[in-house]
Amino acid sequence: MAIIANISLDRLRAGKTSIGFGVSHLRTVAAPMLAKAAGYDWLFIDMEHGAFSVHEATQLCLASLSTGVSPIVRVCTGAFDEGTRALDNGAQGLVIPHIDTAAQAKQVADAFRYPPRGTRSWGGGIAQFGFLPPPVAQAQEQINSETMIVVMIETAEAVANADAIAATPGIDCLLIGTSDLSADL
């Protein structure tokens, strides 16, 4: 089976705007359908400040895949275990908060990319292939290409390092955390 395209990442790569629909308490699997009906490209599933378990985030990710709305999960800082489980179970991208340096960005990129681009572990059947992936090396290459890794800029230190963070291989996008950045400044 072909990999399910990450529509949001495709739009960004084409220089287009990609608009997300954020959920932090809305747990219904209808959320991706509502996002699609309202014209959104991605579903922002907030595990940092929202009340989602990995199981609930997974259900939203799986429901999103068939709608053409890219499921993107924000995990807590340093929660590599939550991030890899979200990716293994349907997330097409992650948002990682509180990244202040290029070294931190590299650690994030390495954790969420398969070899040779990173150190992510292979867990088997992958939802992004409808649980019918091609051979492992091919699947990993395609998943690396379709996974969006976003890091959040939320401090004056991160702003000063934004160019180096953005230049880190494996980081696709920077997201300004307006509340925490405002508090830090």
Side-chain angles (χ1 to χ4, degrees):
M1 175 173 194
I3 193 166
I4 297 169
N6 185 331
I7 301 303
S8 182
L9 189 54
D10 289 348
R11 290 186 59 77
L12 292 174
R13 285 179 176 154
K16 297 178 181 177
T17 300
S18 183
I19 306 295
F21 178 85
V23 293
S24 58
H25 299 292
L26 180 65
R27 291 181 180 85
T28 175
V29 294
M33 295 170 64
L34 294 168
K36 180 69 173 182
Y40 290 94
D41 304 307
W42 52 284
L43 187 67
F44 183 87
I45 302 163
D46 192 353
M47 289 181 66
E48 181 188 24
H49 295 294
F52 294 110
S53 68
V54 171
H55 173 76
E56 291 165 329
T58 293
Q59 297 305 303
L60 288 171
C61 289
L62 292 173
S64 292
L65 290 174
S66 64
T67 66
V69 173
S70 302
I72 310 295
V73 177
R74 176 166 60 178
V75 297
C76 294
T77 304
F80 295 136
D81 59 327
E82 288 180 354
T84 56
R85 284 186 288 167
L87 290 172
D88 284 348
N89 291 286
Q92 291 183 305
L94 296 174
V95 174
I96 312 301
H98 307 289
I99 300 302
D100 294 325
T101 67
Q104 291 172 328
K106 182 178 180 345
Q107 185 181 24
V108 165
D110 287 349
F112 300 126
R113 303 284 183 191
Y114 290 116
R117 293 175 56 190
T119 59
R120 182 175 165 198
S121 174
W122 179 254
I126 298 290
Q128 292 90 329
F129 283 104
F131 300 104
L132 297 170
V136 173
Q138 180 184 352
Q140 289 177 347
E141 180 182 328
Q142 289 178 357
I143 291 169
N144 277 344
S145 293
E146 290 294 322
T147 298
M148 182 167 57
I149 302 299
V150 179
V151 296
M152 294 187 69
I153 304 299
E154 302 183 89
T155 64
E157 179 183 11
V159 170
N161 293 321
D163 287 343
I165 293 168
T168 303
I171 300 300
D172 298 298
C173 188
L174 304 183
L175 175 64
I176 305 297
T178 55
S179 295
D180 286 340
L181 181 58
S182 294
D184 187 67
L185 295 175

